[in-house]
Amino acid sequence: MSRYITRLRMRRAYKWNGRPVSKDRKLKRQYYESMSISVEGKTEDVTVSLGQYILIEGDDDDNPFVAQLLKLYTDDSGKKKTAVVQWFVRTCEVPQNKRKLLGRHPHPQEIFFYQDCSCDNEVDGETILGAVQIEYVPVEDPFPKGKSKGILFVKLLWDTKSFRALDPELMQPPQSSKSPPPSSRGPQTRALPTPDLSVMKRAMSGILTRGSMSTGKMSSSEAESLHSASKLSAAKALSAKRRSRAVSGPHVRKKLDLCSPSKNMTRDDVLGEILDEHTEKTLTSKLNTSPTGRISISIRLTRLNLNEEECVSPLSSHSPDKPRMTAYDKDESTRARTPSRRKDALREPALAALAEEEHEDSPVQTAATPRSKRKSAQLVSSRIRKQLNLLGNTVDLQSDGVDGDDDDCFVPAKIDLQSSSDEEEEAKIDSEDELIVKKRRGSGTSRSTEKTRVSARTPRKTPSKKTAPATPHTPRHATPSIPSRSAPARKPGNVLEEARDIYNFVESKVIDGTGGCMYISGVPGTGKTATVHEVIRSLQQSAEQDEIPHLRFIEINGMKMTDPHQAYVQILQKLTDQKATPDHAAALLEKRFSAPAPKKETTVLLVDEVRHLLLVTLISIGYFLFIILFDWPTRRNARLVVLTIANTMDLPERIMINRVASRLGLTRMSFQPYTFKQLQQIITSRLNRVKAFEEDALQLVSRKVAALSGDARRCLDICRRATEICEHSGSQKNSSGLVGMSHVMEALDEMFSSSYIAAIRCASVQEQLFLRAVIAEFRRLGLEEATFQQVFVQHQALCRVEGLQPVNVSEGLTVCQRLGSCRLILLEGSRLDLFLRIRLNVSQDDVLYALKAD
Amino acid sequence: ISDRKATVNSSDGAQKLLRERLCHQKLPDQPVGLDSQYKHLLELLRRTAVHGESNSVLIVGPRGSGKTMLLGCVLRELMSLREVQKNVLLVELNGLLQTDDKIALKEITRQLHLENVVGDKVFGSFAENLAFLLEALKKGDKSSSRPVLFVLDEFDLFAHHKNQTLLYNLLDVSQSAQTPVAVVGLTCRLDVLELLEKRVKSRFSHRQIHLFSSLSFGQYVDVVRAQLSLPPDFPDPKFSDEWNHSVTKLCEDKTVEEILRRNFNGSKDFRSLHSLLFLAVSRVSVSHSTLREADLIEACRLISADSKANVLHGLSILELCLIIAMKHLNDTYDGEPFNFQMVHNEFKKFIQRKSHSIHKFEKPVVMKAFEHLLQLELVRPVDSGVCKVQREYQLMRLMLEHGQVMEALQKYPQCPTDVKQWALSAFG
């Protein structure tokens, strides 16, 4: 039974308590301090006020969402009540695979402080169920016993990646936010603890390189907030920020999208604005006058302040000293502090023309200014290339879904670390970098000096009149060690059109908060599943960096379930960790995806081998599955993105009834078999710079496989076999220790050559005679089929010709059956005895060739 | 008396030992003529067992070529390694036993002793079992979990399971970084890869170990000698010396060589050889305690005897006459089907000519004899479905070769000469 009153059972009425405490005329909002909820059938009302912990209606009646109420407001019309909350998560809401990070069994009443800025913290006021009591328990202390069931305990903080100790300060009820948000921001920021060493350290040594990135981002935003009094500089800051985003990745528009609360800016508008920004350099005034721009600024700052208060930037202490520091300066300092974005930072708006020229010959180059849509597409592709590069590093290798551990056991006799192709490419890029640098100041080129080069260049790139004092004052010098990246810088991969398309598709859906369905087809071994996994991985990475909203990834495979009904069960289990029968699961899922999700996170559902889900029982449940796969995504609030993978390109047409097909709006994508160049790159990346293959040998493998199937798995299998052959023979003859042509040829022979001829050659005399008799009989009849009796007569005649004792029928049948079991010949109607029908399973020429050789 | 007793004991012991050897109850010490395949497979499985590399391989070879024996030898050597012994899980499936994925899955779960196994019972539905197993395999990784060797005997039959779910999942695990597995398939079908669905095929590593014996006749005889010889540690050295000497002599004998060559020509696999030798060894008794060529000749006769010719020996003269009549009909009409009436007419013509020597039979009696032949399936109706036709006119085919009839006639005890002549004459 449900312990909480939900709307399904009882009607609730919501009413503001008292007069609005403040008004925001620009946003047309009225802020309130408390709200009372009256439940039908109960006499007393429940009152919730700011700072209180509340329960919010969710899809699970027994475990409603928990949050702390931060703000309450109504919009102009006064009808819609909105609440701004700080979320807490229950154990069951933490993704299952992350739960083990906790390292202990969660207390049944335990919840976690949720720190994830991508999660929407505005909820409909009418989803509030009531108040709840939460107690903070210090990390070392045990959970108090004997308390009532209603009390929840919070001990740790969950930031979607790890559990951390919760700073008790965060649990304090927020100070009275009677002043409207824009002005309350200031005090709030100040109220934060001064940047003590430990916090700074934590911020600096954040997970992977993102730590440093977010600090950088934060610093600028912090600075912005401090300057918010001066609208001019704030606008400048924003525009500079935007530009830096545009340079660094494809996230410009979604940021803006997210930031504008009114959602009245369509994407095109935003894009247009960005484009304008870059065509006209005088953007400040324009932005300044645009109300939309201003709104987005203020909201953005609020969000950052609310959610990222822990990561206090050391910059904030410095920036007030330089009130004249311009947006450009801040922008530069951000860049200088982010080593992971070196490459991007190298490109400057001023260098646009130069960068453009470089596009043609270098795949990595990120465009400096997205002047057109094409440009921005290039940005995205470059970003994905970085994420997805196949000329990967070790991290990439391990995370790769397909057996990443094949080649590492092989260590050739001499590991020759002469530069492999990707290194050369790297060198090329470096030299290109060098070109720019030379033009600007002619500094050194070696990779090791790159960091210093970037930072050293920084001041010069800024407009000259404002530059000089900026950089020395940045706290970069206060903490001399730039957090070293845990993963080596990624290197460019080949152009993966497919990855880019999928990335764009999912990303746009996630940002827009809509749903959609994509159908991916391609022959086996062309990297469909692997690509989707990589795309999701990189999307999740950007979600962790708060560049896009949080998304949830669920994967099912049609071949990994016993019947299509199980699809419901598996989806439900992965979504909510509930177990149910297929019918029940279907009902629950239907409910889940027809109601808008309170926490607006997008669910990405990957359905692999979809053919097996659809074709098998099309009549009974096929239609239902249809709904999951193709109808749910189109529901407005479901926020479900479905990626379906199958081999055949025309599956939707073959299965769908026309009227269903017409309303799908299916995005399609087809994976082409790998070309030999791509295969070669795949091998090279897998070899991980170990020089184990001769160049020609690699060429041979990749060309052969490309010609046959373009299957990457096959390609790797051949290489693996070739290394084994090399290992066995290597000791005696091949002095180089490399896998050469001969080994590859041998492996290819083993895998591709037909075994029929060898089988015929090794067959016994009577078996060979029987095959000959079959051919003789075929020729006599002029048909490709004969009965055993007919062949047997020929066989006996041949025996006499060969001077062998003729076989009797039993022996003849034994020979025939043995050939049949090998499938050298095909037998039909084994009950017919003498009238057994015989056909050859090999071409006659092959048989004759095999028999003639000996 | 004690001497005689010792001989009896030794002879019994020798027979027991040889029978064990010939009935495949014991693995040979070393597979014959399969050295490179042995090394390849051992290396492959060792990598899985020791280094935790996943792999998949097919062992393909005709029946009796020693696939199971090879795998057995490899596993025996593998398991003797200390680091492997406690570290490898072995799952053995047979396509003839696990006829669908549901049974196969239960069997895998049972053999792996996963947590949903209590005693020998596996709990949960098919779907749950699959999810459970996949989850279990997915959780493992290269370094920490015990490698699992899946041996799929009659691999081709697994390819006929619905959707090839089992194969897809096993091979998928072998292609991804999950629990290290080695999937070893044994099959005699050369075209086994064509049976696999493309998505399954893509996941298979395409390693095939072919077992084609390229044995020459000389080696074959050597194998025969080795198979028949008693080991040096035989308890009665005098007896074993004598025995081995006789075996050596036997193998040099011309007649024996001919028998062996005939067998060798028939098939190179050891299974047919073993059945021949088994029959020969079984004839060894206390009275003649060595293997003689007569034993082999007799064994060969038994083995190569035509089964249908044997059946013909047991027929009555009337039935034999009907067979001969059918043979003549076959010759006349070039294999076209016939009916009882035609056979009866043919038979009547023969009776009229030779009325003095052959008893005259009534038609119902002839019909009865014909039905007996039908029961023995020496004749068969062309299409069994049609019952409307009267029995006399139902079309039939003779299931005997010309040569079989003649051979049976030669050996038939006290066959009347007229019948023999009738059979030999060109036209009825």
Short mmCIF file of all heavy atoms in Angstrom, two decimals, chain A residues 277-293:
data_model
loop_
_atom_site.label_atom_id
_atom_site.label_comp_id
_atom_site.label_asym_id
_atom_site.label_seq_id
_atom_site.Cartn_x
_atom_site.Cartn_y
_atom_site.Cartn_z
N GLU A 277 26.63 37.40 -34.10
CA GLU A 277 27.70 37.80 -33.21
C GLU A 277 29.03 37.78 -33.93
O GLU A 277 29.88 38.62 -33.73
CB GLU A 277 27.83 36.78 -32.08
CG GLU A 277 27.19 37.19 -30.82
CD GLU A 277 27.23 36.04 -29.87
OE1 GLU A 277 28.31 35.43 -29.73
OE2 GLU A 277 26.20 35.75 -29.26
N HIS A 278 29.18 36.73 -34.72
CA HIS A 278 30.49 36.56 -35.28
C HIS A 278 30.68 37.31 -36.57
O HIS A 278 31.80 37.58 -36.96
CB HIS A 278 30.77 35.08 -35.45
CG HIS A 278 30.84 34.40 -34.13
ND1 HIS A 278 31.93 34.53 -33.31
CD2 HIS A 278 29.94 33.66 -33.47
CE1 HIS A 278 31.70 33.87 -32.19
NE2 HIS A 278 30.49 33.33 -32.27
N THR A 279 29.62 37.59 -37.21
CA THR A 279 29.79 38.38 -38.42
C THR A 279 30.00 39.84 -38.05
O THR A 279 30.90 40.49 -38.55
CB THR A 279 28.61 38.23 -39.37
OG1 THR A 279 27.43 38.16 -38.57
CG2 THR A 279 28.73 36.98 -40.21
N GLU A 280 29.18 40.33 -37.19
CA GLU A 280 29.43 41.70 -36.75
C GLU A 280 30.20 41.63 -35.45
O GLU A 280 29.82 40.89 -34.55
CB GLU A 280 28.13 42.44 -36.46
CG GLU A 280 27.01 42.12 -37.39
CD GLU A 280 25.69 42.54 -36.80
OE1 GLU A 280 25.70 43.32 -35.82
OE2 GLU A 280 24.67 42.10 -37.30
N LYS A 281 31.19 42.36 -35.36
CA LYS A 281 31.98 42.30 -34.16
C LYS A 281 31.35 43.17 -33.07
O LYS A 281 31.62 43.01 -31.90
CB LYS A 281 33.42 42.75 -34.42
CG LYS A 281 34.18 41.78 -35.28
CD LYS A 281 34.68 40.60 -34.45
CE LYS A 281 35.31 39.57 -35.36
NZ LYS A 281 35.65 38.34 -34.67
N THR A 282 30.54 44.07 -33.49
CA THR A 282 29.92 44.95 -32.50
C THR A 282 28.65 44.31 -32.00
O THR A 282 27.56 44.62 -32.44
CB THR A 282 29.59 46.31 -33.13
OG1 THR A 282 28.79 46.05 -34.29
CG2 THR A 282 30.84 47.04 -33.54
N LEU A 283 28.85 43.40 -31.11
CA LEU A 283 27.69 42.65 -30.68
C LEU A 283 27.18 43.14 -29.34
O LEU A 283 26.06 42.89 -28.97
CB LEU A 283 28.06 41.17 -30.57
CG LEU A 283 29.13 40.88 -29.53
CD1 LEU A 283 28.93 39.49 -29.00
CD2 LEU A 283 30.49 41.04 -30.12
N THR A 284 28.01 43.79 -28.63
CA THR A 284 27.65 44.13 -27.26
C THR A 284 26.36 44.93 -27.20
O THR A 284 25.45 44.61 -26.45
CB THR A 284 28.77 44.93 -26.60
OG1 THR A 284 29.61 45.43 -27.63
CG2 THR A 284 29.55 44.08 -25.66
N SER A 285 26.33 45.93 -28.00
CA SER A 285 25.18 46.82 -27.92
C SER A 285 23.92 46.05 -28.30
O SER A 285 22.88 46.18 -27.67
CB SER A 285 25.37 48.01 -28.86
OG SER A 285 25.55 47.51 -30.18
N LYS A 286 24.07 45.21 -29.27
CA LYS A 286 22.91 44.46 -29.73
C LYS A 286 22.36 43.58 -28.62
O LYS A 286 21.18 43.58 -28.32
CB LYS A 286 23.32 43.60 -30.93
CG LYS A 286 22.18 42.81 -31.50
CD LYS A 286 22.64 42.06 -32.71
CE LYS A 286 21.48 41.28 -33.29
NZ LYS A 286 21.31 40.00 -32.77
N LEU A 287 23.28 42.89 -28.03
CA LEU A 287 22.85 41.99 -26.97
C LEU A 287 22.28 42.76 -25.80
O LEU A 287 21.37 42.35 -25.13
CB LEU A 287 24.05 41.18 -26.48
CG LEU A 287 24.09 39.75 -26.99
CD1 LEU A 287 25.34 39.11 -26.49
CD2 LEU A 287 22.85 39.02 -26.53
N ASN A 288 22.91 43.89 -25.61
CA ASN A 288 22.53 44.70 -24.48
C ASN A 288 21.08 45.13 -24.56
O ASN A 288 20.36 45.18 -23.57
CB ASN A 288 23.43 45.93 -24.47
CG ASN A 288 23.77 46.31 -23.07
OD1 ASN A 288 23.37 45.58 -22.15
ND2 ASN A 288 24.46 47.39 -22.89
N THR A 289 20.69 45.42 -25.75
CA THR A 289 19.34 45.91 -25.90
C THR A 289 18.33 44.77 -26.00
O THR A 289 17.14 44.98 -25.85
CB THR A 289 19.21 46.76 -27.18
OG1 THR A 289 19.78 46.01 -28.25
CG2 THR A 289 19.95 48.08 -27.02
N SER A 290 18.83 43.61 -26.23
CA SER A 290 17.88 42.51 -26.39
C SER A 290 17.46 41.96 -25.03
O SER A 290 18.29 41.52 -24.25
CB SER A 290 18.54 41.39 -27.22
OG SER A 290 18.27 40.15 -26.65
N PRO A 291 16.18 42.04 -24.76
CA PRO A 291 15.73 41.57 -23.45
C PRO A 291 15.97 40.07 -23.27
O PRO A 291 16.29 39.63 -22.18
CB PRO A 291 14.23 41.89 -23.45
CG PRO A 291 13.86 42.07 -24.90
CD PRO A 291 15.09 42.51 -25.61
N THR A 292 15.82 39.33 -24.31
CA THR A 292 16.00 37.90 -24.20
C THR A 292 17.39 37.58 -23.69
O THR A 292 17.59 36.75 -22.81
CB THR A 292 15.83 37.22 -25.56
OG1 THR A 292 15.03 38.05 -26.37
CG2 THR A 292 15.27 35.86 -25.39
N GLY A 293 18.32 38.29 -24.27
CA GLY A 293 19.69 38.05 -23.89
C GLY A 293 19.88 38.29 -22.40
O GLY A 293 20.50 37.51 -21.70
#
